[in-house]
């Protein structure tokens, strides 16, 4: 798997989303990260936690559901409170590079 953290070319080989649609999906994540991420934490190598604005929860859930359809190795879950929404993203150890790339992109917000 070749993942380039410096660009949007971090889509894993395991992704079944048609190649022509991948830049659009990457852009959706970029918009979510740029407009809604308030904190990024990495409790362990296979788990990333993003604190989002509460108003972004619906869009984040919808994006996560669509991403799970093409990259079934992702595990997304959410918690909400008055401070915002916690989006947890988990991957198997063989996909940690993908999570590394997501963390890098989210941290650039």
């Amino acid at each position: 798997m070749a993942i380039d953290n410096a660009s949007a070319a971090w889509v894993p080989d395991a992704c079944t989303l048609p190649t022509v649609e991948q830049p659009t999906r990457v852009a959706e994540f970029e918009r979510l990260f740029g407009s809604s991420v308030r904190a990024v934490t990495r409790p362990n190598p296979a788990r990333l936690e993003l604190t989002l604005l509460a108003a972004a929860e619906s869009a984040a859930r919808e994006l996560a559901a669509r991403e799970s359809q093409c990259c079934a190795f992702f595990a997304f879950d959410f918690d909400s409170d008055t401070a915002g929404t916690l989006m947890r993203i988990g991957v198997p150890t063989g996909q940690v590079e993908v999570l590394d790339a997501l963390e890098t992109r989210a941290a650039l917000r």
Side-chain angles (χ1 to χ4, degrees):
M1 171 185 326
I3 299 170
D4 178 5
N5 281 336
S7 73
W10 48 265
V11 178
D13 295 338
C15 182
T16 62
L17 188 67
T19 303
V20 298
E21 295 178 29
Q22 291 175 4
T24 302
R25 181 66 54 81
V26 168
E28 289 181 85
F29 274 101
E30 296 283 342
R31 278 192 300 276
L32 176 69
F33 295 160
S35 66
S36 303
V37 172
R38 295 300 168 243
V40 178
T41 56
R42 190 78 178 261
N44 66 59
R47 191 157 190 86
L48 177 65
E49 296 180 351
L50 305 175
T51 303
L52 309 173
L53 294 173
E57 181 176 356
S58 177
R61 284 180 181 272
E62 192 270 329
L63 180 57
R66 287 187 293 117
E67 187 63 18
S68 293
Q69 291 174 351
C70 64
C71 293
F73 60 84
F74 277 118
F76 293 94
D77 66 78
F78 294 83
D79 279 322
S80 301
D81 63 22
T82 57
T85 297
L86 182 62
M87 178 182 192
R88 293 185 192 93
I89 307 169
V91 297
T93 55
Q95 298 293 344
V96 168
E97 288 180 349
V98 177
L99 207 56
D100 293 343
L102 281 174
E103 179 182 23
T104 297
R105 303 313 298 171
L108 292 174
R109 66 190 196 291

